[in-house]
Amino acid sequence: MDLTDSPATLDFIREIVASDRKSGKHATVVTRFPPEPNGYLHIGHAKSICLNFGIAAQFGGRCHLRYDDTNPTKEEQEYIESIERDVRWLGFDWGTHLYFASDYFERMYVWGEKLIEKGRAYVCDCSAEEVRQRRGTLTEPGRACEHRDRPAAQSLDLFRRMRAGEFPDGARTLRARIDMGSGNINMRDPVIYRILHAPHPHAGAAWCIYPMYDYAHPLEDAIEGITHSICTLEFEDHRPFYDWVIDECELPEPHPRQIEFARLNLTYTVMSKRKLLQLVQEGVVSGWDDPRMPTISGLRRRGFTPEAIRDFADRIGVAKRDSVVDVQLLEHCLREDLNRRAPRKFAVLRPLKLVIENYPEGQVEEFEVSNNPEDPAAGTRSVPFSRVLWIEHDDFRETPPPKYFRLSPGNEVRLRSAYLVRCTGVVKDAAGHVVEVRAAYDPATRGGATPDGRKVKATMHWLSADHAVPAEVRLYDRLLTKPDAGDVEEGQDWKSNINPDSLEVLDNCWVEASLAGAASEERFQFERLGYFCVDPDSAAGKLVFNRTVTLRDAWAKIEQKQG
Ligand code: ATP
Ligand code: MG
């Protein structure tokens, strides 16, 4: 099927692209993902990456990765490297099309001179504050300053001297000369160049004037032959200026077309790089890749798969209206993927000793356990069983509450794939805490079978204490306590919603010996507990796991209810 020809499957952006292809407006569809290297990419960027690279792939075109690096004081090499790593990890490839806006600075400057010569730009001596005061409001027009009408030759001379470094930061700007009375504030002679004596992470010390984003971006797109420049809704009011720049700089047809879509917002999640940087700088999290962060590197460390993130991006689609997506949908996409693929393992997070009194000391049996019931090709593994086991603390109650079917004095349960055991007693410490549970096994129930048809209501996982390997497990909760980060008491800022208990470290856990060689980022389902992945902090002798997500899928329930 030619996807480009079936409008029923197309969102509004793909419809535009498909119709431009049909009309022959462009030979090749060219999109771009244009991050500013001033932070790590987050799940919102993933939406934009999937959209831009996805459209290019679908229509047989290409997508550029371009650094929008016009603001040198906030940009860093570390961010540049993280962006490339993250886009690749998500599964996309820009081929040879990696660009830096700063590589176009010379051409942007020449266009600046050209605009001055055409009477379309002027050097303004007003301070930032004066520019602001004269800009007007939504209901009042702006007021021109005396510099607006200075001769082009004078502006040209001043612009050249700005570049030569004759003036201090903020002393002058170059402004587009459009219309101080425009109903659109963005058209009231916006600043297009500012003086900033600061070195640039990519361009070095070559410049002390820098182009403003709104001037630079359309030029970057036009230089690269971008056909569809996809951005978020807040740029809708900037589109007339985008078009103005390309027209006035007399760039060849066809011009790139700016198309806006609604940015991704997620419940319980802050998405702005500025706020994420605050979390990092103030030590609320351990870094940009802390598994609680909504950054791509944080999600990766948490155990998310690129497939789940791409599936999520597909499901949310693109729209023209802002909305907030339930973070449980993202987790649902992840569970679906991991359920299919993650090998099952036994792990005990809060261990309690279980001694099988009638099992011979020193005896070891191996039981075959399925690696993934969802995937027959995944096969089985053997898990050793012996007299002393670890079980979950929570799987035993000395005084069971109603409907508690797991282990309690006198009660019988199944140890998964091994035997049925009946609790015979407990051992307590001086303080009266249960430190050991005693039980007897029924040799006739080998493999967990019940030849006499008797029923037990609970099946529990277990580990042989002599064979298990130690591990640290990090449990994560939401970083925010409220679905809307901005929902705060008067006088408080968004950080008052940070959940103080978003990380719990369990450093006395046990896992199957088969996990001993697991590599960083490998993902597993710990039976009955959730999905977990190996953290890069793992070292020889101490495995560290992150809980990726629990097994309970709230989203699936919501979907069911909605029928
Ligand atoms: P933030 O507001 O989080 O700081 P930004 O827009 O300043 O992000 P950029 O590096 O400029 O970050 O973004 C690169 C691209 O990603 C832009 O095209 C932008 O529109 C897109 N993008 C950023 N945030 C989102 C989001 N939440 N949803 C969808 N696209 C986004
Ligand atoms: Mg931006």
Side-chain angles (χ1 to χ4, degrees):
M1 183 180 70
D2 179 3
L3 285 170
T4 61
D5 265 344
S6 53
T9 67
L10 302 182
D11 55 59
F12 79 95
I13 299 179
R14 286 174 168 88
E15 264 175 30
I16 295 172
V17 177
S19 100
D20 285 348
R21 285 271 286 155
K22 236 182 202 147
S23 72
K25 183 172 170 193
H26 320 283
T28 313
V29 171
V30 188
T31 57
R32 85 285 173 265
F33 173 63
E36 185 182 354
N38 62 351
Y40 280 58
L41 299 180
H42 52 59
I43 182 75
H45 294 113
K47 174 177 177 175
S48 173
I49 293 167
C50 291
L51 184 61
N52 281 294
F53 281 92
I55 287 177
Q58 184 176 350
F59 292 90
R62 62 173 195 267
C63 179
H64 297 181
L65 175 60
R66 180 209 307 149
Y67 294 111
D68 220 324
D69 54 350
T70 54
N71 192 3
T73 54
K74 292 195 172 150
E75 295 160 7
E76 287 175 27
Q77 186 61 28
E78 177 194 348
Y79 299 142
I80 290 180
E81 285 159 22
S82 75
I83 288 169
E84 284 172 42
R85 197 163 54 231
D86 289 347
V87 175
R88 276 212 187 87
W89 179 77
L90 272 179
F92 298 105
D93 184 6
W94 51 90
T96 57
H97 297 283
L98 176 68
Y99 301 105
F100 288 82
S102 53
D103 286 336
Y104 311 140
F105 280 173
E106 185 61 40
R107 275 186 273 181
M108 291 175 184
Y109 173 82
V110 171
W111 275 308
E113 287 201 350
K114 184 168 173 175
L115 290 176
I116 295 173
E117 282 162 1
K118 288 174 71 175
R120 294 300 193 193
Y122 59 97
V123 169
C124 174
D125 306 348
C126 294
S127 66
E129 186 47 36
E130 285 165 327
V131 170
R132 206 172 5 256
Q133 276 171 8
R134 289 171 199 260
R135 192 183 294 135
T137 64
L138 284 176
T139 50
E140 274 171 61
R143 286 172 294 122
C145 61
E146 67 269 28
H147 316 112
R148 192 172 203 268
D149 293 320
R150 71 176 11 145
Q154 197 182 52
S155 278
L156 198 57
D157 174 59
L158 286 170
F159 188 44
R160 288 177 179 160
R161 289 165 60 195
M162 279 166 64
R163 177 181 183 169
E166 282 191 33
F167 311 116
D169 289 0
R172 295 191 156 83
T173 56
L174 182 69
R175 296 177 67 179
R177 192 164 189 271
I178 311 177
D179 178 5
M180 287 305 290
S182 171
N184 182 340
I185 295 181
N186 297 300
M187 298 298 272
R188 294 180 191 167
D189 293 12
V191 170
I192 61 181
Y193 264 95
R194 59 182 173 143
I195 301 171
L196 182 64
H197 292 265
H200 188 283
H202 184 71
W207 294 90
C208 63
I209 57 171
Y210 289 98
M212 302 302 286
Y213 177 89
D214 277 354
Y215 171 70
H217 202 80
L219 295 176
E220 296 158 21
D221 285 343
I223 288 169
E224 293 176 18
I226 301 300
T227 55
H228 301 87
S229 176
I230 301 165
C231 62
T232 42
L233 278 183
E234 67 272 23
F235 289 101
E236 197 163 18
D237 290 342
H238 299 234
R239 190 181 343 124
F241 185 61
Y242 180 98
D243 294 334
W244 183 94
V245 170
I246 291 174
D247 288 341
E248 294 297 342
C249 292
E250 297 170 29
L251 286 146
E253 301 277 350
H255 290 174
R257 171 169 175 187
Q258 176 179 308
I259 306 167
E260 308 86 14
F261 70 101
R263 65 171 43 236
L264 171 67
N265 300 299
L266 272 182
T267 55
Y268 296 99
T269 309
V270 286
M271 206 81 94
S272 103
K273 279 190 269 190
R274 191 177 51 79
K275 288 179 180 162
L276 296 176
L277 180 63
Q278 263 180 300
L279 292 173
V280 173
Q281 284 177 338
E282 292 171 23
V284 177
V285 295
S286 63
W288 285 97
D289 69 344
D290 185 295
R292 290 164 291 179
M293 290 282 271
T295 51
I296 295 176
S297 51
L299 295 168
R300 175 178 178 177
R301 186 165 176 186
R302 177 77 171 256
F304 275 72
T305 63
E307 290 83 356
I309 295 175
R310 295 200 302 261
D311 178 35
F312 171 71
D314 272 352
R315 291 200 204 195
I316 56 176
V318 287
K320 262 286 188 194
R321 188 181 307 186
D322 275 317
S323 66
V324 183
V325 174
D326 192 329
V327 71
Q328 295 181 124
L329 174 59
L330 177 62
E331 292 165 355
H332 172 73
C333 294
L334 179 64
R335 285 190 185 95
E336 279 206 345
D337 189 27
L338 292 179
N339 184 39
R340 279 190 295 266
R341 299 198 289 160
R344 275 47 171 174
K345 298 286 179 188
F346 287 171
V348 174
L349 303 193
R350 293 176 174 89
L352 178 61
K353 194 172 275 184
L354 175 67
V355 178
I356 315 294
E357 292 174 322
N358 58 340
Y359 195 83
E361 300 237 16
Q363 179 172 311
V364 179
E365 282 177 273
E366 298 279 341
F367 289 109
E368 287 300 304
V369 182
S370 161
N371 282 332
N372 185 353
E374 299 289 324
D375 176 12
T380 61
R381 67 190 186 285
S382 66
V383 180
F385 181 89
S386 65
R387 187 169 191 269
V388 180
L389 306 171
W390 293 120
I391 60 169
E392 290 292 339
H393 221 285
D394 201 38
D395 281 341
F396 173 80
R397 297 287 170 87
E398 194 176 13
T399 317
K403 299 207 171 149
Y404 186 89
F405 301 117
R406 289 169 279 166
L407 211 53
S408 59
N411 193 35
E412 188 175 47
V413 300
R414 175 182 289 108
L415 295 179
R416 180 135 143 70
S417 303
Y419 289 108
L420 268 57
V421 299
R422 188 179 298 279
C423 177
T424 53
V426 297
V427 177
K428 293 184 180 179
D429 63 11
H433 295 121
V434 174
V435 291
E436 186 177 309
V437 179
R438 315 286 291 190
Y441 84 114
D442 177 353
T445 59
R446 194 168 194 285
T450 46
D452 58 356
R454 74 180 189 267
K455 297 258 185 294
V456 289
K457 285 199 167 144
T459 298
M460 296 165 24
H461 65 279
W462 48 271
L463 285 170
S464 164
D466 276 347
H467 299 88
V469 296
E472 173 182 316
V473 174
R474 299 173 183 168
L475 305 180
Y476 301 100
D477 197 354
R478 306 212 184 292
L479 199 48
L480 298 180
T481 52
K482 290 188 186 160
D484 174 2
D487 175 12
V488 288
E489 306 285 320
E490 212 180 301
Q492 301 268 17
D493 78 346
W494 68 275
K495 280 182 285 173
S496 64
N497 282 337
I498 289 174
N499 176 5
D501 303 314
S502 59
L503 169 64
E504 184 182 0
V505 178
L506 305 175
D507 55 10
N508 181 30
C509 310
W510 297 98
V511 299
E512 266 181 46
S514 66
L515 284 163
S520 216
E521 294 184 14
E522 262 194 87
R523 308 169 186 94
F524 303 94
Q525 184 193 98
F526 290 170
E527 293 212 15
R528 303 176 61 227
L529 299 174
Y531 294 98
F532 294 77
C533 75
V534 181
D535 189 85
D537 282 350
S538 291
K542 184 81 172 186
L543 283 163
V544 179
F545 289 91
N546 295 314
R547 182 169 69 194
T548 305
V549 69
T550 57
L551 293 174
R552 198 167 44 90
D553 190 341
W555 185 261
K557 281 201 192 109
I558 294 171
E559 267 188 342
Q560 253 169 20
K561 259 191 217 145
Q562 289 170 342

